[in-house]
Structure formats: C-alpha cells, structure tokens
Amino acid sequence: GFLMFGLFLPYVIYFGLMFYKKSKRKSRLHRFVRKWNETIHNGVFLSLGGGGTVRGVAVGSETGGTYENFYMATWDPKSLLVRGYLHIFVNYQERADWCQQNGFPFIPPVPPHQQTMDQQLAQQGQVPAPPTGYALVPQPPQPPPEFQIPAGYALVPLSQDLPPSYNQASKM
C-alpha cells in the first residue's frame, strides 16, 4: 500500500500543480482584460480568443473565440492547427474624445476604398507631413545631437574606405 502511494504521489503533485497554475493563469488574464476594459477609458477594448481546426473540427475564429480557444494555442507553439489572439476593439467616438482630451491626434484607420482625396497618398515626389510625434520611415540614420566627432576622425559613407574582402586580403 505504501509503495503504491509513493509511486503515484509524484503524478498527483505534478497534475495538481499543473491544474492550479492553469487556473491561476486564466484568472489573471481574465482579471487583466476585465480591469483594462473597466478602468482604462481610452476607447480601446481587449478580448482573448483564438481559432483553428482540431481533429477536423473548426473551433473559434480569427475574430472571436473564447479563452479556451486562446489556451489551446499554447499547446501548438508553431500555430499549425490553432492560433491564439488578443483582440483589440476600438470605439471610434470614445477614442476620438480621449485623444482630444489628452492632446493626441486621432487618425482613424480608413479602408482605401473609403478614403477621400485628402486621405489618399501624396503625388510622387511629395511627402505628406507626419502628425506631431510621428516620424516618416525609413530615414537615414542621424547621429544624436550631442554626438561629437573625436579630433582626428571624420565620418565617411560606408561605401568608401572599406577594408579589403577576404579574397582581396588573401591575394595580397
């Protein structure tokens, strides 16, 4: 009797801890999402979900699902069958109000087929000015303003004064 108890005790402890950790993870994630949705009133709402195919049966979806669908994705690290999603929903009116109150520009995403002429991309050669606090990408790298070139050195483009390649050096 004691030997059987000793053999099964590690399994009982392992599975007990596994279920405990799983329930704590679920409650913490649910608590975070609920706290975000209830206390942060910036027009952005979160939801957990997932979707995929398990044993030939469709579960969840890319735009919905439940925590269980989200959790199934943890057992599929390469997302071959199931993918977990953190859904981010935006209430445009609440977001616009929040941005106005906090001094941020509100730029709603507009599908290309619904854009006005002002929202269309600029003509070739013209670059639209980005909103305050944003930068156009890509930009050539610039040294920080406090950067000083040491005496006796100069900045040169990468295409100049490169060291010889391996083949060139071995022929020397």
Side-chain angles (χ1 to χ4, degrees), residues 133-156:
Y134 292 88
L136 293 175
V137 177
Q139 289 183 341
Q142 299 291 326
E146 66 276 358
F147 178 76
Q148 296 293 322
I149 301 170
Y153 291 89
L155 295 178
V156 294

Side-chain angles (χ1 to χ4, degrees), residues 45-113:
F45 302 94
L46 305 178
S47 174
L48 297 173
T53 305
V54 177
R55 296 184 187 156
V57 177
V59 294
S61 71
E62 288 187 9
T63 57
T66 63
Y67 174 80
E68 281 68 31
N69 303 129
F70 177 80
Y71 177 73
M72 279 192 275
T74 61
W75 292 94
D76 186 7
K78 293 187 180 181
S79 298
L80 299 174
L81 301 174
V82 182
R83 291 188 175 143
Y85 298 103
L86 172 64
H87 301 291
I88 301 173
F89 300 100
V90 178
N91 181 318
Y92 290 106
Q93 188 59 48
E94 283 187 35
R95 186 67 180 170
D97 294 343
W98 183 87
C99 287
Q100 185 178 15
Q101 292 170 359
N102 292 290
F104 292 103
F106 176 67
I107 305 172
V110 181
H113 66 279

Side-chain angles (χ1 to χ4, degrees), residues 4 8 20 22-23 44 48 57 66 69 86 96 108 120 125 156 162:
M4 292 299 282
F8 287 109
Y20 172 76
K22 179 182 173 184
S23 68
V44 178
L48 297 173
V57 177
T66 63
N69 303 129
L86 172 64
Q120 293 290 329
V156 294
L162 290 175

